[in-house]
Amino acid sequence: MKVRIKFSKYGALRFIGHLDVMRYFQKAIRRAEIDIAYSEGFSPHQIMSFASPLSVGHTSSGEYFDIEVNSFTGEEDMQKRLQDVMAEGIDILKIKLLPEKEKNAMASVAAADYLLTFSECFTPPEGWQEQLLKFYAQETIPAVKKTKKGEREMNLKEGIYRLETRKEGVYMLLDAGSGSNLKPGFVMDFFFEKQGVLLPEYPFRIHRIETYKRNDGGSLEPLIP
């Protein structure tokens, strides 16, 4: 049986990297006495798949991972048992027993939305909201993205599904597919570079609001609808 778990990440634990989050949940699942399934072979490990790794320093209210279990005591019971062993900085928000045909969390991710605010060390120049909306209104936004294999030319506009300026900062709905993942920090870095603005180190605070998949009709919906 496959189970999907939604959690939030905040506070000091936003500085914990993805591999440490995986280890944290492996230990938490044992403490919660969840009947998780293990792989076979010489080095069995818990069968677990995370949706989309969150960058270090970011907070989130829409993180997901899947596990396989040998037995299932109910969504509410599993949520309570896991929440009872959580440290401050991670909360279990929702649990869902998945149908057999459901793709795993990592393969399901299509998009994610974010709220980006400015750190105390950076005050954006006057009129930045209007300039950002003009930037987004372009039909194409040519950019160069650095990857592990080198540099790749891309049209930034294709990966930005929605962009809005808000009182508290910038809202973005972005492509988060495994082959086309676009990060909000990259979008804003590129925008300010085009404006000739020199950014300090860590100019933004970024919060992932939700992670989405595409349903049978092609529309976006949360990984747990």
Side-chain angles (χ1 to χ4, degrees):
M1 292 176 285
K2 294 186 290 187
V3 175
R4 180 158 295 162
I5 299 167
K6 179 179 183 180
F7 67 97
S8 63
K9 186 181 179 188
Y10 59 94
L13 288 192
R14 71 186 187 275
F15 298 113
I16 301 299
H18 177 62
L19 291 179
D20 287 324
V21 170
M22 289 179 62
R23 296 185 190 103
Y24 170 84
F25 274 111
Q26 288 169 353
K27 294 176 181 178
I29 284 170
R30 288 197 293 267
R31 289 198 301 271
E33 298 183 343
I34 304 299
D35 188 17
I36 191 169
Y38 284 77
S39 63
E40 299 179 353
F42 292 106
S43 181
H45 60 272
Q46 295 178 2
I47 300 177
M48 179 183 294
S49 170
F50 279 75
S52 182
L54 186 69
S55 297
V56 174
H58 295 189
T59 58
S60 177
S61 54
E63 298 303 288
Y64 294 87
F65 69 100
D66 294 346
I67 60 173
E68 290 189 20
V69 295
N70 298 311
S71 61
F72 185 65
T73 56
E75 294 165 357
E76 291 185 3
D77 177 69
M78 184 178 285
Q79 181 178 352
K80 182 181 185 303
R81 287 161 65 183
L82 272 176
Q83 182 59 38
D84 285 347
V85 298
M86 290 294 105
E88 183 178 357
I90 291 182
D91 288 331
I92 305 300
L93 303 179
K94 199 177 285 188
I95 286 180
K96 180 73 173 178
L97 181 65
L98 300 176
E100 285 297 321
K101 64 178 182 178
E102 184 80 16
K103 294 190 293 185
N104 67 38
M106 182 181 294
S108 299
V109 175
D113 57 357
Y114 303 87
L115 182 65
L116 182 147
T117 56
F118 300 108
S119 302
E120 292 85 353
C121 65
F122 176 61
T123 301
E126 188 175 347
W128 69 268
Q129 295 98 330
E130 293 79 4
Q131 292 301 318
L132 179 61
L133 294 178
K134 287 180 181 179
F135 169 82
Y136 178 55
Q138 298 176 94
E139 290 187 9
T140 61
I141 307 174
V144 176
K145 186 177 182 180
K146 293 182 179 180
T147 68
K148 293 180 180 179
K149 298 180 180 180
E151 295 184 342
R152 176 171 64 89
E153 293 184 359
M154 64 179 298
N155 177 10
L156 206 61
K157 185 65 177 281
E158 292 179 348
I160 307 174
Y161 299 147
R162 189 183 310 158
L163 186 151
E164 302 170 0
T165 58
R166 297 182 176 178
K167 182 178 179 180
E168 61 271 39
V170 180
Y171 170 85
M172 281 182 261
L173 175 64
L174 303 177
D175 186 343
S178 59
S180 51
N181 183 38
L182 188 59
K183 296 184 181 296
F186 178 80
V187 175
M188 294 301 287
D189 284 343
F190 186 77
F191 163 70
F192 280 115
E193 179 184 326
K194 289 298 181 182
Q195 301 299 307
V197 176
L198 184 63
L199 294 173
E201 195 172 14
Y202 309 118
F204 313 122
R205 289 200 178 107
I206 297 173
H207 178 78
R208 181 186 280 166
I209 301 168
E210 184 58 271
T211 305
Y212 301 93
K213 63 179 180 178
R214 291 200 181 275
N215 59 26
D216 293 339
S219 300
L220 293 174
E221 66 178 21
L223 289 186
I224 297 179

